[in-house]
Amino acid sequence: MIALIQRVSEASVTVEGEVTGAIGQGLLVLLGVEQGDYEAKADKLLHKVSGYRIFSDENGKMNLNVSQVGGSLLVVSQFTLAADTGKGMRPSFSGGAHPADAERLYEYFVARARESGVPTETGRFAADMKVRLLNDGPVTFWLQV
């Protein structure tokens, strides 16, 4: 399971002209589900995402997590993160989870994020989404479990 996280001042996702999720300060989480992923991996990744200390403290050091700054999560499914780009000029998606499995684990991740108390917004699984963000830093990390 993969999360590309970006520290944002604001972010939103639109599907068919309708905003499905929007946040102020927080993390845009692009979530990729791979073959063989399961709930314990989602829990571990969520723990890492929500606990990752990438917000500045009073001394300007990255020492605070999203909860500590009162931030939110915007979770967007992104199957292309599971792409194999090692050969040729066209990505292979054979390592990605079956769509039904990916959707189940995406929804599980979102539900667990909401249960954790971090305000969580979403895109729409498998939709053509338009994502807007104002990356703060820029600060972007690739997390994989």
Side-chain angles (χ1 to χ4, degrees):
M1 189 166 270
I2 302 164
L4 181 73
I5 61 172
Q6 298 182 35
R7 186 178 75 186
V8 298
S9 298
E10 60 185 57
S12 65
V13 61
T14 303
V15 178
E16 297 176 359
E18 173 192 345
V19 174
T20 62
I23 63 169
Q25 180 183 28
L27 296 174
L28 171 61
V29 181
L30 302 176
L31 187 68
V33 182
E34 299 173 289
Q35 287 182 21
D37 285 345
Y38 49 94
E39 288 82 358
K41 277 189 164 186
D43 289 335
K44 185 175 180 179
L45 185 59
L46 176 60
H47 177 73
K48 195 163 189 174
V49 166
S50 60
Y52 220 57
R53 299 181 314 167
I54 59 173
F55 292 89
S56 298
D57 64 15
E58 64 278 356
N59 298 315
K61 294 190 180 222
M62 282 193 219
N63 205 27
L64 302 174
N65 65 41
V66 67
S67 294
Q68 292 171 315
V69 297
S72 303
L73 301 178
L74 176 58
V75 183
V76 177
S77 63
Q78 179 93 35
F79 81 95
T80 60
L81 290 176
D84 178 356
T85 59
K87 293 194 301 184
M89 299 301 288
R90 184 170 184 263
S92 168
F93 299 106
S94 60
H98 183 276
D101 294 331
E103 183 173 15
R104 180 180 57 76
L105 285 170
Y106 168 78
E107 294 296 341
Y108 177 85
F109 184 94
V110 168
R112 297 289 288 167
R114 288 178 172 150
E115 289 169 11
S116 77
V118 178
T120 303
E121 297 285 323
T122 67
R124 186 175 303 148
F125 187 86
D128 180 22
M129 295 176 275
K130 307 299 182 209
V131 180
R132 293 183 185 267
L133 69 139
L134 181 56
N135 194 316
D136 180 16
V139 174
T140 303
F141 292 94
W142 175 282
L143 305 178
Q144 189 169 12
V145 296

